[in-house]
Amino acid sequence: ELKDDEAIGEYCSTTWGVSFPMTSKADVNGRKRHDLYKQLVKAKDSKGMAGPVMWNFEKFLITPERKILRFRPTVKPDAPEIIEAIEANLPR
């Protein structure tokens, strides 16, 4: 666990080549959960389950209608259901 935003940014840029702006480190579970995640964890996954973020590869998509779609860590980023959800919510 890296200690601060600067260390995280340096690690991501040198290890993964990240050059885009990143948000600050935030708690996703527990008593100090960030307000954004307080809303995201209410969303149900494809099996109807809501609750804490299971792992850092959990994915959320917020539609233009503010509906939250949730994909658990085992769902790959290029899975058909994610691609379909993104494409269905692109501006026409």
Side-chain angles (χ1 to χ4, degrees):
E1 194 71 29
L2 298 170
K3 66 179 181 170
D4 58 29
D5 294 341
E6 185 178 335
I8 294 168
E10 184 173 330
Y11 171 79
C12 290
S13 67
T14 58
T15 305
W16 306 108
V18 170
S19 59
F20 53 82
M22 297 187 332
T23 62
S24 295
K25 182 178 176 179
D27 289 327
V28 300
N29 290 316
R31 292 180 325 181
K32 295 181 182 179
R33 179 182 283 148
H34 188 279
D35 288 341
L36 172 63
Y37 287 94
K38 287 178 184 177
Q39 295 303 311
L40 293 177
V41 298
K42 294 177 185 177
K44 296 179 180 177
D45 61 18
S46 63
K47 295 179 182 176
M49 302 291 292
V53 173
M54 303 301 283
W55 194 39
N56 59 336
F57 291 109
E58 192 144 345
K59 295 155 283 300
F60 296 91
L61 174 66
I62 303 172
T63 71
E65 293 79 29
R66 297 183 179 173
K67 180 179 179 184
I68 301 170
L69 304 176
R70 186 176 192 163
F71 304 93
R72 296 294 183 169
T74 54
V75 180
K76 295 187 181 212
D78 60 352
E81 60 266 41
I82 293 180
I83 301 296
E84 182 179 306
I86 292 170
E87 290 178 349
N89 286 284
L90 290 174
R92 301 196 188 276

